[in-house]
């Protein structure tokens, strides 16, 4: 039920937007269904503990396109180029927002799921892992995706919970052995038990297990 609406003019992007407020009944949280871990990354946007991978090829292609255009316009330095840079910034934000909307909508629409488990990434931008890594990290909106997923899941009775991200990428899901040598880019090979799988799938499975271990038996 629509309760109110407001027409807003965005002077920066020279466009009008309509803000609508809807009232919906609080959905009941699901008691039955799957618990799925989600690993977020820069190469693969999201990987599930079921082994489904949503890669970032289209995203990286779009980022390269916007980076090229920004450099080209910045080198000109004219007034018209500066105006185009502002417009380009808005296009880039809408692009990443659309990707996050589509992906979160697909996940939240899975009727089999009762809980999604994600890592608590608070403070990840403070980690000093090199200039190149930090630049890549700042180029994608992990927290926007988290917000979209949470509120969309809420309307479908799906809960979104967080766990400590410590060692999720280094721990073997099969035997629990932790070693940074277990992971080599997208490949995971346990140096203790020999378990081999995709590194992001292994991480998503560990994320799920961290939550499930705390559930009452």
């Amino acid at each position: 039920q629509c309760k109110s609406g407001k027409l807003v003019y965005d002077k920066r992007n020279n466009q009008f937007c309509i803000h609508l407020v809807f009232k919906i009944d609080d959905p009941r949280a699901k008691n039955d269904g799957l618990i799925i871990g989600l690993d977020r990354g820069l190469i693969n946007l999201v990987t599930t503990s079921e082994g489904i991978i949503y890669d970032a090829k289209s995203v990286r292609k779009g980022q390269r396109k916007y980076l090229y255009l920004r450099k080209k316009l910045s080198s000109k330095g004219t007034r018209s180029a500066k105006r185009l840079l502002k417009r380009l910034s808005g296009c880039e934000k809408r692009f990443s927002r659309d990707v996050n909307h589509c992906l979160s909508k697909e996940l939240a629409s899975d009727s089999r799921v009762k809980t999604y488990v994600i890592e608590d990434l608070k403070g990840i931008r403070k980690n000093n892992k090199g200039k190149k890594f930090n630049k890549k990290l700042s180029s994608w909106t992990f927290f926007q995706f988290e917000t979209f997923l949470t509120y969309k899941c809420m309307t479908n009775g799906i809960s979104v919970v967080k766990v400590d991200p410590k060692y999720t990428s280094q721990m073997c899901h099969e035997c629990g052995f932790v070693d940074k040598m277990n992971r080599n880019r997208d490949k995971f090979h346990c140096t203790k038990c020999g378990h081999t799988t995709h590194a992001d799938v292994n991480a998503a499975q560990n994320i799920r297990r961290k939550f499930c271990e705390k559930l009452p038996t």
Side-chain angles (χ1 to χ4, degrees):
Q1 182 181 0
C2 185
K3 303 295 292 183
S4 64
K6 185 178 181 181
L7 180 64
V8 179
Y9 174 63
D10 185 347
K11 185 177 180 180
R12 182 177 181 180
N13 295 314
N14 190 29
Q15 63 183 13
F16 287 94
C17 300
I18 298 178
H19 295 171
L20 299 175
V21 178
F22 290 88
K23 181 180 179 181
I24 60 174
D25 296 328
D26 290 335
R28 291 185 178 181
K30 292 183 178 180
N31 294 320
D32 299 311
L34 299 176
I35 299 174
I36 293 181
L38 301 178
D39 178 62
R40 290 170 283 175
L42 296 172
I43 303 300
N44 297 312
L45 295 178
V46 174
T47 302
T48 77
S49 54
E50 290 190 314
I52 300 173
I53 298 174
Y54 299 89
D55 67 55
K57 289 180 181 178
S58 62
V59 172
R60 292 198 300 273
K61 182 179 179 181
Q63 288 176 338
R64 287 194 298 269
K65 168 190 169 184
Y66 287 117
L67 178 61
Y68 168 77
L69 291 173
R70 281 201 305 271
K71 286 183 177 180
K72 189 175 181 180
L73 290 170
S74 297
S75 65
K76 291 184 177 181
T78 62
R79 186 175 297 177
S80 59
K82 290 179 181 179
R83 286 198 299 267
L84 287 173
L85 273 171
K86 286 185 178 181
R87 290 176 57 187
L88 187 66
S89 175
C91 291
E92 190 170 6
K93 287 178 181 178
R94 287 192 293 273
F95 168 73
S96 62
R97 186 181 182 89
D98 182 64
V99 172
N100 279 331
H101 262 309
C102 292
L103 181 52
S104 58
K105 181 180 179 180
E106 182 175 341
L107 291 169
S109 300
D110 192 335
S111 59
R112 305 171 303 143
V113 181
K114 75 168 184 177
T115 303
Y116 280 119
V117 189
I118 61 176
E119 292 174 305
D120 187 351
L121 298 180
K122 185 178 180 180
I124 189 174
R125 296 187 188 276
K126 297 179 182 179
N127 296 335
N128 187 13
K129 294 186 178 182
K131 186 177 180 180
K132 187 176 181 180
F133 175 84
N134 290 335
K135 185 177 180 180
K136 286 183 178 180
L137 184 63
S138 64
S139 69
W140 195 247
T141 48
F142 288 105
F143 301 102
Q144 184 186 75
F145 168 77
E146 182 180 309
T147 301
F148 290 172
L149 179 69
T150 301
Y151 84 74
K152 288 175 183 178
C153 283
M154 188 183 299
T155 61
N156 293 331
I158 301 173
S159 59
V160 177
V161 297
K162 298 180 184 180
V163 296
D164 186 349
K166 194 173 183 179
Y167 301 129
T168 53
S169 63
Q170 300 177 13
M171 180 186 296
C172 175
H173 176 67
E174 291 296 316
C175 71
F177 179 65
V178 177
D179 189 341
K180 64 180 180 180
M181 299 300 293
N182 285 343
R183 177 166 186 164
N184 182 16
R185 296 190 177 183
D186 64 344
K187 295 180 176 60
F188 187 92
H189 178 79
C190 181
T191 56
K192 183 177 181 180
C193 74
H195 174 61
T196 302
T197 186
H198 192 287
D200 291 343
V201 173
N202 178 77
Q205 291 171 335
N206 284 329
I207 292 168
R208 179 187 183 277
R209 183 168 70 176
K210 279 196 172 189
F211 173 72
C212 291
E213 287 176 344
K214 295 181 180 180
L215 293 176
T217 56

